[in-house]
């Protein structure tokens, strides 16, 4: 997969927060617009009541309009902001009283009040105008009353409402942002749990994921499990093939070696004897490589499915010493075991035995005659098995890579080996949650420590 990596959690979080921001802005605009309409309607109703009160107080006497301005007509327009109030009274198109220039365009007497916002005397005012025919003889008199009020109180009210709406919008946004973070984290938590579960597995653990997952992740988990199944089947086939091949190769090699040794006893010419010795050496090396390939395949297979039980490391090492002591004596080597007592652990005894046997076998190969090989088993601070010898030791510059497969040091040339002994020991240690430590002794020789 190519391209710049991106975060699903970040994308989900930003999408939810962006949606919350849009909703907060819409909330603010809707509340402010609705509040403006309500406040404007309230002012218009008061202005309508004021002009109606003035018109109700007007009468016609002897053809003259008499209007005793009622106190309530203007007192109802009082506000906390002390808005200014203007009025104008007209008979037809003739200005009678008030503020000239306030009147609006002509209106139909039966049309009800007319409202408008306009500039008057350097400020914005809201004007209400109402026209009515007053009964009179010989014909009705057309009277128009206009009342205007500045908008300072309305602006203050709208500002207060806007601030409150902004505060509520910001609070809503913060709450929604927190919920977005929580939602993205909780939504993607199963994916993180699956990833952590797989990450905690060992390199050879190919078991399918069986934990419950959301429906949306089921196809991904099913595909992953299918891949793990195919990989496990392929690895099993490879390990089986290696084990079978090693077994089939080792048996005929043993037969060939027996014939070569018998022939060596009957040959007199030095060149022929040298050729047979080289043949036997090559057969030994091939047989050993086949055996260790078989061991490695077995260790790899059992590491995924450990058959653990309560075992004593001292007992396991004692059995190995008993089995390999005749070999050590033939090589003029002394093989010993040292421990302070039983060291019980829960482990796979076959794997532990295989690892220790390979470590001791390495010590036997690289030790000089009349040397000593010591196996030490300790329980503290953790169960360990230490194998030391008095041989050539490990190459200091290659020590970090000696436990890799088929890796041998420069000082191992001329010695029969396959480069798998330390690899097997390391794999066994790691399968039990431990490690293999390699170092050289100060007095000379190699030291291999199996930490469990």
């Amino acid at each position: 997969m190519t391209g710049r990596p991106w975060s699903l959690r970040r994308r989900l979080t930003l999408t939810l927060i962006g949606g919350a921001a849009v909703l907060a802005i819409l909330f603010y605009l809707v509340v402010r617009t609705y509040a403006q309409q309500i406040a404007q309607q309230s002012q218009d109703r008061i202005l309508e009541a004021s002009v109606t009160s003035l018109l109700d107080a007007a009468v016609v006497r002897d053809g003259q309009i008499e209007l005793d301005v009622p106190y309530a007509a203007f007192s109802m327009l009082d506000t906390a902001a002390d808005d200014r109030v203007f009025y104008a009274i007209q008979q037809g198109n003739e200005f009678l009283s008030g503020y000239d220039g306030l009147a609006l365009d002509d209106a139909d007497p039966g049309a009800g009040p007319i409202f408008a916002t306009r500039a008057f005397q350097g400020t914005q005012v809201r004007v209400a105008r109402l026209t009515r025919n007053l009964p009179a003889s010989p014909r009705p008199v057309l009277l128009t009353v206009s009342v205007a009020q500045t908008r300072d109180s309305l602006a203050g009210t709208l500002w207060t409402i806007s601030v409150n709406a902004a505060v509520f919008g910001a609070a809503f946004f913060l709450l929604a942002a927190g919920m977005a973070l929580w939602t993205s984290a909780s939504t993607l938590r199963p994916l993180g749990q699956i990833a952590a579960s797989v990450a905690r597995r060992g390199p050879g653990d190919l078991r399918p994921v069986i934990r419950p997952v959301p429906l949306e992740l089921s196809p991904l988990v099913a595909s992953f499990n299918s891949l793990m199944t195919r990989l496990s089947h392929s690895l099993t086939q490879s390990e089986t093939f290696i084990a079978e091949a090693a077994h089939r190769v080792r048996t005929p090699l043993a037969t060939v070696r027996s014939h070569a040794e018998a022939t060596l006893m009957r040959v007199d010419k030095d060149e022929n004897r040298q050729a047979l010795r080289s043949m036997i050496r090559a057969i030994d090396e091939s047989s050993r490589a086949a055996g260790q390939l078989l061991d490695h395949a077995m260790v790899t297979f059992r590491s995924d499915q450990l058959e653990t039980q309560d075992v004593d490391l001292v007992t396991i090492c004692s059995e190995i010493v008993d089995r390999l002591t005749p070999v050590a004596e033939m090589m003029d080597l002394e093989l010993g075991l040292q421990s302070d007592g039983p060291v019980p652990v829960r482990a796979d005894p076959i794997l532990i035995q295989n690892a220790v046997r390979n470590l001791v076998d390495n010590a036997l190969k690289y030790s000089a005659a009349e040397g000593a090989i010591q196996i030490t088993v300790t329980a503290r601070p953790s169960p360990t098995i230490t194998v030391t010898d008095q041989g050539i030791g490990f190459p200091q510059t290659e020590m970090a890579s000696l436990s890799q497969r088929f890796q041998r040091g420069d000082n191992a040339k001329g010695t029969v080996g396959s480069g798998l002994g330390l690899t097997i020991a390391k794999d066994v240690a790691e399968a039990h949650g431990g490690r293999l430590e390699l170092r050289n002794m100060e007095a000379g020789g190699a030291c291999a420590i199996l930490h469990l």
Side-chain angles (χ1 to χ4, degrees):
M1 184 176 182
T2 59
R4 184 178 180 182
W6 51 273
S7 170
L8 184 60
R9 173 177 294 181
R10 182 180 302 172
R11 175 173 293 187
L12 179 59
T13 302
L14 291 179
T15 300
L16 293 175
I17 291 178
V22 172
L23 290 177
I25 294 173
L26 289 177
F27 170 80
Y28 170 78
L29 295 176
V30 169
V31 169
R32 190 178 187 281
T33 302
Y34 183 71
Q36 187 176 11
Q37 292 176 353
I38 296 299
Q40 189 64 72
Q41 290 175 2
S42 299
Q43 186 182 35
D44 289 347
R45 282 195 291 269
I46 295 174
L47 289 173
E48 180 182 0
S50 179
V51 295
T52 301
S53 176
L54 289 173
L55 281 174
D56 290 344
V59 296
V60 180
R61 299 181 187 278
D62 300 330
Q64 297 293 322
I65 296 177
E66 295 182 1
L67 178 59
D68 186 9
V69 177
Y71 174 76
F74 295 120
S75 63
M76 67 178 66
L77 296 172
D78 286 344
T79 62
D82 292 331
D83 282 319
R84 290 182 294 166
V85 178
F86 309 94
Y87 75 96
I89 302 175
Q90 293 175 273
Q91 180 179 351
N93 293 326
E94 180 184 356
F95 175 76
L96 298 181
S97 178
Y99 292 85
D100 192 12
L102 181 64
L104 299 174
D105 297 335
D106 293 338
D108 186 355
I114 299 174
F115 301 95
T117 301
R118 54 174 294 190
F120 184 73
Q121 292 190 358
T123 186
Q124 289 289 318
V125 297
R126 184 68 173 176
V127 182
R129 174 180 177 176
L130 185 60
T131 300
R132 182 182 297 176
N133 282 320
L134 300 180
S137 179
R139 62 179 181 274
V141 176
L142 186 64
L143 184 65
T144 300
V145 176
S146 300
V147 177
Q149 185 182 29
T150 56
R151 300 168 63 84
D152 295 339
S153 178
L154 179 63
T157 301
L158 289 178
W159 171 254
T160 302
I161 294 175
S162 299
V163 171
N164 291 334
V167 171
F168 281 115
F172 168 79
F173 172 75
L174 294 177
L175 178 62
M179 293 183 64
L181 293 173
W182 176 81
T183 300
S184 61
S186 61
T187 301
L188 298 177
R189 186 177 296 116
L191 190 59
Q193 291 173 345
I194 293 174
S197 175
V198 175
R200 286 193 297 267
R201 296 185 179 187
D205 190 351
L206 300 178
R207 293 172 299 161
V209 177
I210 58 175
R211 63 181 304 147
V213 295
L215 292 177
E216 291 78 8
L217 293 180
S218 295
L220 175 62
V221 174
S223 299
F224 177 80
N225 287 341
S226 177
L227 175 62
M228 292 296 102
T229 301
R230 294 196 301 271
L231 285 176
S232 178
H233 180 68
S234 177
L235 288 177
T236 301
Q237 285 185 325
S238 299
E239 292 162 4
T240 304
F241 172 77
I242 293 173
E244 183 68 19
H247 177 73
R248 291 183 177 274
V249 169
R250 187 164 53 177
T251 300
L253 284 177
T255 303
V256 173
R257 190 183 193 283
S258 299
H259 288 297
E261 287 181 342
T263 304
L264 179 63
M265 300 296 295
R266 297 194 297 267
V267 172
D268 296 329
K269 291 184 177 181
D270 290 338
E271 60 269 21
N272 292 336
R273 294 177 65 84
Q274 185 63 33
L276 286 172
R277 289 192 184 97
S278 299
M279 180 186 299
I280 293 173
R281 180 182 179 84
I283 291 172
D284 288 341
E285 188 167 350
S286 299
S287 179
R288 178 178 178 79
Q292 288 202 316
L293 281 173
L294 181 61
D295 290 344
H296 186 264
M298 183 271 294
V299 168
T300 303
F301 178 76
R302 291 180 67 98
S303 295
D304 294 337
Q305 300 174 346
L306 290 178
E307 298 180 8
T308 60
Q309 54 184 282
D310 294 327
V311 296
D312 179 18
L313 295 182
V314 177
T315 300
I316 293 176
C317 293
S318 178
E319 293 175 355
I320 295 174
V321 169
D322 292 340
R323 190 180 308 136
L324 295 180
T325 294
V327 178
E329 290 177 349
M330 291 177 60
M331 302 172 66
D332 293 331
L333 295 172
E334 180 183 352
L335 182 59
L337 173 63
Q338 179 180 353
S339 67
D340 297 331
V343 180
V345 295
R346 188 160 187 84
D348 189 320
I350 295 179
L351 292 187
I352 298 297
Q353 188 180 65
N354 203 300
V356 176
R357 181 169 54 81
N358 274 278
L359 292 178
V360 175
D361 189 55
N362 272 356
L364 291 171
K365 284 192 306 179
Y366 297 108
S367 292
E370 299 182 357
I373 298 172
Q374 185 70 35
I375 302 175
T376 306
V377 184
T378 57
R380 291 186 176 85
S382 62
T384 59
I385 300 174
T386 304
V387 179
T388 60
D389 60 51
Q390 298 174 346
I392 58 177
F394 298 116
Q396 192 67 36
T397 57
E398 303 176 16
M399 197 175 301
S401 61
L402 288 178
S403 58
Q404 297 178 6
R405 284 187 298 179
F406 308 112
Q407 186 72 31
R408 305 187 69 196
D410 290 338
N411 59 355
K413 294 179 180 179
T415 304
V416 176
S418 63
L420 286 174
L422 295 179
T423 303
I424 292 172
K426 184 193 74 169
D427 290 346
V428 172
E430 292 178 350
H432 289 82
R435 61 188 176 88
L436 175 67
E437 179 184 356
L438 302 179
R439 64 189 184 192
N440 289 321
M441 306 289 291
E442 292 183 2
C447 175
I449 307 175
L450 194 68
H451 295 273
L452 301 177

